């Protein structure tokens, strides 16, 4: 399909690679075997900017200011979250807790618990600056 790829993620649990781009569609690709397209995940209204993977869950951040959480084995949307007022640029899911951290062009880094399986999310903290945020990194020091 014609779509500029802006984000890529690998899920060991799903044994798949996910791609997203300007069309706002997430594509699931088989990582082994056929290595072909398997499914489209639709819901975002603008470009897919970033991904994070946590076991069976795929988090997608978009220029539509939302993060969507997807269940990867069956391919359905679990939750739509809007915590930012500008394009979401990066997502990290903390490996030990499942807490998500997102940053956006609104100058905010937001820490939140996705509470998968519940309709709401729990806001933990917000950090703000005058400039846009473009990237996040997580380092686990022993």
């Amino acid at each position: 399909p014609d779509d500029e790829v802006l984000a890529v993620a690998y899920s060991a649990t799903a044994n798949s690679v996910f791609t997203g781009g300007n069309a706002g569609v997430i594509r699931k690709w088989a990582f082994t075997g056929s290595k072909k397209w398997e499914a489209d995940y639709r819901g975002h209204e603008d470009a897919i900017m970033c991904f994070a993977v946590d076991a069976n869950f795929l988090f997608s951040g978009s220029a539509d200011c939302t993060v969507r959480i997807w269940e990867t084995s069956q391919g359905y949307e679990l939750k739509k979250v809007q915590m930012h007022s500008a394009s979401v640029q990066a997502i990290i899911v903390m490996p030990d807790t499942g807490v998500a951290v997102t940053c956006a062009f609104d100058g905010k880094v937001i820490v939140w618990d996705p509470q998968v399986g519940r309709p709401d999310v729990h806001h933990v903290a917000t950090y703000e600056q005058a400039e846009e945020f473009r990237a996040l990194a997580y380092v686990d020091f022993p």
Side-chain angles (χ1 to χ4, degrees), residues 5-29:
V5 174
L6 301 173
V8 178
Y10 169 70
S11 169
T13 304
N15 199 23
S16 300
V17 171
F18 296 90
T19 61
N22 286 328
V25 176
I26 299 166
R27 293 192 169 85
K28 180 180 179 182
W29 305 87

Side-chain angles (χ1 to χ4, degrees), residues 1 9 14-17 49 79 86 104-105 115 117-118 127 130 132 137 142:
N15 199 23
S16 300
V17 171
M49 305 304 293
K79 190 177 288 195
F105 279 174
Q115 301 187 108
R118 296 183 59 188
Y127 304 94
E132 300 172 339

